[in-house]
Amino acid sequence: MADREWPQEAELVVCTVENVKDFVAFVSLDEYGGRQGLIPISEIATGWIKYIRDHIREGQKIVCKVLNVDRSRGHIDLSLKDVNEHQRREKIREWKNESKAQKWLGFVAEQTGEPLAAIEDVIYKKYGAFYPVFEDIVIDPETTLKKLGFSKKVTEVLHHVAHESVKVPHVEVTGHLIIESTRPDGVEVIRKALEKASASKSAGAEIELLYLGAPTYRIKVKAPDYKTAEKAIEKSANAAIAVLEKAGGEGKLVKKPKSGKSQ
């Protein structure tokens, strides 16, 4: 893919240190076919540097920031000092995930007979990366696979590989759904309200309702992130409350503090 042959300025890239000189270090860019880049001594670390080898060594994996790309001369200038520890960890995690995703796509191509380059091109044009598509397939398979537009065979294998390989972290948001109806058929009204709440669907969210004792029900939503979970719990609660209010009853949602992420 032509748009993946060269990095962009300010991009973070994973590199392998190949040769360390007195005033410069030469590295290969792992994500760009091993293209060579260089780090001048002034971009190795902050402050005065006596020996570059005190900071990096041959064979080491490092994360650098792209300072300049000269395609006509084949030069890529990099900085090691401009990358903080958080950026380094995140980039390494992203790179490892992308490496795994490329292997999974190779398996999909092998199993379906579809050219790997064709599969990669479709995904890269829509996502700009490979791993996120597998996460989206796990979270919202129908929408994601329809958007990709692959054949039925490729779609089935992608779906299988995603669910076998990716575990998306989830967060939980809980609350108390308080619903009351004074009508003679109030029990039936509440039943319909709870059905509406349970049937309310939000992509990537799972909804669970538990009776705690009249008029209170616990509503729990599990989703990949808090924004999705908050939207889902509001949507579910509002669906139930709408049924109650239409029948002359009332209801409200009392949300609880957020819980942490779980696998």
Side-chain angles (χ1 to χ4, degrees), residues 16-21 24-27 39-40 43-45 49 51-64 80:
T16 301
V17 181
E18 292 190 334
N19 194 3
V20 179
K21 302 290 188 181
V24 68
F26 294 96
V27 302
I39 314 170
E43 295 294 335
I44 294 292
I49 300 172
Y51 301 113
I52 290 184
R53 290 182 186 276
D54 290 340
H55 300 272
I56 58 175
R57 62 187 182 278
E58 281 88 350
Q60 184 180 359
K61 291 286 184 190
I62 59 175
V63 176
C64 293
L80 179 61

Side-chain angles (χ1 to χ4, degrees), residues 136 139-141 143 200-206 222-225 228-229 232 235:
D136 279 4
I139 294 168
D140 187 7
T143 302
S200 175
K201 293 184 179 180
S202 296
E206 299 175 13
K222 184 185 288 186
D225 56 76
T228 302
K235 183 179 179 181

